[in-house]
Amino acid sequence: MKKFLPIALSISLLATSLLAAKSYNSTQSHNGKVTALLSMQTATNDSDSFFSSGTDGFIIHWNNNSTGEHYQISDLTIGATAKNPQTSELAVYETDSLTINKITVLDWKNLSKKFTKRFKDSVTCISYSEKGNYIIVGTAAVNGIYVLNAKTGLVNKRIKDIPSIITMAKTGASEKNAVMYSPSGFLYYYDFAKDKVIAKFQTQGDLEQPILFGTGNMQNRFFAGVKNNGLYIIDALSGKILVHSPATSPFIVTGTNTDEKGLYYISGTGRGYTLKLLSYETLEECIKKKTSYSVQEGILIKNFSGLKSRDSITAIAKNRNTIFMGTTQGDIYTMSDIVESETYTLQPITEINFQFIHDIDSDRDTYYFLTENSIYTSNYGMTQPKKIASNPSHTNLLISTQGIVLWSKNTRKDVLLVTSDGQTGEAKTTKLFTPKAKLKTVRQCGNSILFIQGNNSVSLYNMDTKDTKEIYTGTSLEDALIINGTAYIAKSALSNTDSSLISVNLQTGETVPLKTKGSILFSLSYNENIPTDLYGILMVHQKDDSYTTEVFSYNTNTKLLKSLISINDEDSSAFTEMNGNELLYTNIGKNQVYAFNTKTTRNTAYLRSASIPVKVKASDANNYIAILNKDGSISWYQKNSQTAISNWYLTTENNWWEF
């Protein structure tokens, strides 16, 4: 009968202090779409810097010399950002666009997480109150408006007096009330002290990019948004539409200067765009009119072009006289709001400085690195890697007994073997096999390759005989490895009676379900010197629909399962990697790598760099470990030191750039 032992170590610091984390400065663009831009200028702060965020989970703080301070806060998309007007804290919305939706508050000054608050529904807006005491969060649920304590993340109140979704909220200077917009077509004025709506005005519905703006005597008097190929400007004190301006795929923006001229908007697609202005003078005249709204175009400021081929604008911001634009391809562009008669040609402030390292592996004394087009070898201390072979766009590599195996996860691309020609020394690439379905995982097992394809089949490819043998079929398969002639297969349990760990005797074919408490089990590893010990990650589904994630050990003789590390969160990207007789590496919690000593149960944290760690490789021949980060960089550590001794990016000139 299987036994469960209590958890040896519970990690509570994963979502808090990152004091030793390190950002880096460069002009590198986002790896993916820019999702939001946030100006640092306020009515009391004349900063000319701004933040960008993207689908790559990075936040970049751009200063006035167009250099960005890069830091990855999440392995998810950052959908929106908000700045505390009184501190250096940022609130960001992390999402997988499906079930994971959370607000994380980060202190940018020391790169420390203050808290993370998770929501069941997608977030439709986030904003700080004017004094920075509260964070208003709108979600895609009826009565789904939350007011969080900005210091603790605790829910101060849940607004139930507005029976609809909101996509914009802004408080007054006293923080006693707020104006909110619902796409159902209403502007609500909410009193926090009375905890009720004190006024509401019907207005244009289904507006996107909603903003409240205005300066001087017209402070926050105007509300604007975009719908179809046009923008609407509305009197926020009545809901009356003042102006409807036709525009092609418009983006609207305004600044906070007291001398700000009005609402700017960009119109156009492809290679040709215009920047126009609807001035405050025009809007004030519209307020005085008793007739219905006017249809008019703004004043032409300039025509401009220059986006890269197939690129398009995805986000916009403004401070002082500068307009910032983010794009689908991850670039940042800037231009002034000064009138120009000639067509202005945009130039990005970003560029591609670094090659992306997709995967790493090591043998006893050498590290191997896989980029989009090449395979390199290198060790710590080398300023330039050595190219040993070309890569036909595979994303994964594996050092085997016969050479380098190339494959691509979640594809049906041919599995290749790269060897060195004995006479010329040149690399030779041969095809091993073509998977019948998308590959889930590939492992070396003696002279064979163990692989999962299509999430339902585990097979062995014999590299000597070239034969393939299917050893197990099932559903929701996650990982597999072989220990002493027995295959251990990890999977997702489909019910409470289903097992998430299965053993298959390769001689007899006997299949045995091994009962585990995990709902999902994956990332298996084992100690080759003590082959009875199996390690992995399991996620346990809780009654409140949340998950706990654990690093576990499993003794294949005694059937004893032991939890080594546990977090009260879902982490489907966690890994385990066994090295030597004692050290088990894991990135559980997504924030840093841990080396768990399986003999002493001591846990050592390797403090992360600017990007989130995704894989670790340690060489038996020296004291170094290399960590592959999500942005394709490499962090080097000595095994007995928690702080990185170096962080490497591979430049487009094939040199190591160190910070």
Side-chain angles (χ1 to χ4, degrees):
M1 181 176 178
K2 192 170 76 162
K3 302 177 183 178
F4 294 91
L5 292 185
I7 294 172
L9 178 65
S10 179
I11 295 179
S12 60
L13 298 179
L14 291 174
T16 54
S17 178
L18 308 179
L19 294 177
K22 187 177 182 181
S23 60
Y24 74 92
N25 289 278
S26 80
T27 56
Q28 181 77 4
S29 61
H30 281 278
N31 182 22
K33 183 175 74 172
V34 177
T35 55
L37 296 174
L38 181 64
S39 169
M40 289 299 95
Q41 184 186 29
T42 66
T44 58
N45 178 12
D46 204 26
S47 171
D48 57 2
S49 67
F50 67 100
F51 284 91
S52 65
S53 58
T55 56
D56 58 1
F58 266 85
I59 294 178
I60 307 176
H61 184 206
W62 300 95
N63 55 36
N64 56 8
N65 63 4
S66 298
T67 298
E69 181 185 1
H70 295 61
Y71 185 77
Q72 187 178 24
I73 189 174
S74 177
D75 62 346
L76 304 172
T77 291
I78 298 178
T81 58
K83 171 72 169 61
N84 190 318
Q86 303 299 322
T87 70
S88 56
E89 294 173 1
L90 297 174
V92 303
Y93 169 42
E94 303 174 61
T95 181
D96 66 350
S97 300
L98 294 171
T99 60
I100 301 177
N101 301 285
K102 52 188 178 181
I103 300 294
T104 294
V105 170
L106 170 77
D107 189 329
W108 187 260
K109 187 175 182 180
N110 54 29
L111 300 179
S112 63
K113 280 186 181 180
K114 306 292 288 186
F115 61 82
T116 294
K117 177 70 176 178
R118 192 158 182 167
F119 297 88
K120 290 184 178 180
D121 302 287
S122 60
V123 171
T124 55
C125 67
I126 53 172
S127 62
Y128 274 93
S129 59
E130 287 298 297
K131 295 181 179 180
N133 292 313
Y134 306 104
I135 303 173
I136 302 175
V137 180
T139 66
V142 176
N143 297 324
I145 307 166
Y146 299 84
V147 181
L148 307 183
N149 184 304
K151 292 182 179 180
T152 65
L154 297 176
V155 177
N156 185 63
K157 64 178 60 183
R158 183 174 180 179
I159 297 175
K160 298 182 179 181
D161 200 33
I162 300 178
S164 56
I165 296 169
I166 67 161
T167 55
M168 189 279 305
K170 187 172 184 178
T171 72
S174 66
E175 298 185 331
K176 294 180 179 179
N177 50 61
V179 58
M180 305 179 190
Y181 172 72
S182 170
S184 60
F186 287 95
L187 281 170
Y188 293 93
Y189 284 81
Y190 189 84
D191 189 307
F192 289 111
K194 297 179 180 179
D195 205 17
K196 68 175 185 178
V197 173
I198 55 176
K200 75 173 183 178
F201 304 106
Q202 188 167 6
T203 189
Q204 179 65 48
D206 298 320
L207 292 178
E208 299 177 348
Q209 304 178 46
I211 59 172
L212 192 69
F213 67 102
T215 61
N217 295 331
M218 293 291 177
Q219 183 74 28
N220 294 334
R221 179 63 186 269
F222 305 106
F223 173 74
V226 168
K227 183 178 181 180
N228 300 327
N229 283 322
L231 64 92
Y232 294 83
I233 301 180
I234 293 161
D235 184 352
L237 294 184
S238 67
K240 176 187 175 183
I241 299 173
L242 301 175
V243 174
H244 172 229
S245 183
T248 303
S249 302
F251 282 87
I252 57 177
V253 69
T254 189
T256 58
N257 277 348
T258 55
D259 60 351
E260 196 69 34
K261 296 180 176 63
L263 183 77
Y264 293 85
Y265 64 99
I266 289 173
S267 177
T269 57
R271 296 183 179 275
Y273 294 87
T274 61
L275 173 66
K276 295 182 179 180
L277 168 68
L278 285 163
S279 68
Y280 281 127
E281 289 83 356
T282 297
L283 300 182
E284 290 177 18
E285 286 298 319
C286 290
I287 288 178
K288 297 175 183 177
K289 293 179 180 178
K290 302 298 182 181
T291 58
S292 60
Y293 66 85
S294 60
V295 178
Q296 57 181 290
E297 293 192 8
I299 303 167
L300 177 64
I301 303 299
K302 66 182 70 178
N303 296 302
F304 65 93
S305 62
L307 292 188
K308 296 177 182 178
S309 177
R310 299 181 181 179
D311 205 2
S312 59
I313 297 170
T314 57
I316 185 172
K318 184 179 187 293
N319 70 18
R320 292 188 175 180
N321 299 114
T322 303
I323 293 173
F324 316 108
M325 292 161 284
T327 72
T328 304
Q329 296 181 16
D331 282 310
I332 306 292
Y333 294 83
T334 66
M335 67 179 178
S336 74
D337 64 359
I338 298 173
V339 176
E340 296 187 52
S341 57
E342 300 292 330
T343 299
Y344 180 77
T345 301
L346 294 172
Q347 295 294 330
I349 66 172
T350 49
E351 56 188 336
I352 302 297
N353 296 302
F354 310 123
Q355 298 184 59
F356 189 89
I357 298 175
H358 290 276
D359 202 2
I360 62 170
D361 204 350
S362 67
D363 55 21
R364 179 166 174 76
D365 55 6
T366 303
Y367 289 87
Y368 297 79
F369 304 89
L370 183 70
T371 66
E372 183 71 20
N373 302 310
S374 304
I375 305 172
Y376 296 93
T377 61
S378 186
N379 287 306
Y380 180 72
M382 295 176 61
T383 59
Q384 187 175 37
K386 178 183 178 181
K387 180 179 176 179
I388 61 171
S390 297
N391 171 34
S393 299
H394 278 287
T395 58
N396 301 84
L397 87 164
L398 174 70
I399 306 304
S400 76
T401 55
Q402 298 188 21
I404 302 172
V405 176
L406 295 179
W407 63 285
S408 293
K409 190 171 184 176
N410 296 324
T411 76
R412 293 186 62 247
K413 295 180 68 172
D414 294 338
V415 177
L416 308 176
L417 179 67
V418 180
T419 57
S420 177
D421 187 284
Q423 295 181 343
T424 65
E426 295 182 355
K428 177 184 178 182
T429 301
T430 56
K431 185 177 82 170
L432 297 180
F433 63 93
T434 301
K436 296 179 180 179
K438 293 181 179 180
L439 288 170
K440 182 82 173 183
T441 184
V442 173
R443 291 179 178 269
Q444 175 77 27
C445 295
N447 67 337
S448 296
I449 294 176
L450 179 70
F451 61 97
I452 296 177
Q453 55 184 345
N455 296 333
N456 58 13
S457 174
V458 183
S459 299
L460 273 172
Y461 173 82
N462 190 300
M463 300 179 73
D464 295 329
T465 65
K466 316 301 181 186
D467 294 328
T468 300
K469 178 183 178 182
E470 186 176 67
I471 62 174
Y472 180 80
T473 58
T475 56
S476 304
L477 306 184
E478 297 288 344
D479 199 2
L481 53 72
I482 296 175
I483 305 176
N484 290 341
T486 299
Y488 291 88
I489 300 167
K491 62 187 293 290
S492 299
L494 300 180
S495 66
N496 292 333
T497 58
D498 192 17
S499 174
S500 55
L501 184 62
I502 295 167
S503 67
V504 179
N505 188 304
L506 298 183
Q507 294 295 324
T508 66
E510 180 186 11
T511 299
V512 179
L514 306 173
K515 292 183 180 180
T516 61
K517 63 178 179 179
S519 305
I520 306 172
L521 199 147
F522 55 96
S523 191
L524 301 178
S525 60
Y526 77 104
N527 188 339
E528 294 182 358
N529 299 309
I530 311 176
T532 57
D533 292 340
L534 173 69
Y535 302 93
I537 303 291
L538 61 84
M539 285 172 31
V540 183
H541 186 254
Q542 305 298 318
K543 293 181 180 180
D544 62 353
D545 284 336
S546 66
Y547 282 89
T548 60
T549 306
E550 301 177 9
V551 179
F552 72 88
S553 66
Y554 180 82
N555 188 291
T556 58
N557 287 339
T558 65
K559 313 302 181 185
L560 184 68
L561 181 75
K562 182 180 180 180
S563 294
L564 306 178
I565 305 173
S566 176
I567 60 171
N568 293 320
D569 199 0
E570 178 181 351
D571 188 358
S572 59
S573 61
F575 67 75
T576 66
E577 174 80 17
M578 192 70 197
N579 178 256
N581 294 330
E582 301 176 358
L583 294 181
L584 177 69
Y585 295 100
T586 179
N587 67 338
I588 186 172
K590 304 179 182 179
N591 193 46
Q592 53 201 34
V593 167
Y594 297 88
F596 183 87
N597 191 305
T598 57
K599 289 186 177 180
T600 66
T601 69
R602 179 184 176 186
N603 199 48
T604 301
Y606 295 103
L607 303 176
R608 59 165 283 188
S609 68
S611 183
I612 293 171
V614 294
K615 189 173 184 179
V616 60
K617 280 295 173 181
S619 173
D620 294 334
N622 55 51
N623 191 38
Y624 296 111
I625 66 171
I627 293 177
L628 173 65
N629 300 311
K630 193 171 180 64
D631 67 344
S633 64
I634 302 294
S635 296
W636 290 96
Y637 299 78
Q638 291 181 318
K639 292 180 181 178
N640 59 354
S641 176
Q642 293 180 269
T643 305
I645 55 176
S646 185
N647 296 288
W648 285 4
Y649 285 83
L650 182 60
T651 69
T652 53
E653 289 78 29
N654 298 328
N655 295 310
W656 291 120
W657 180 79
E658 181 179 351
F659 77 94

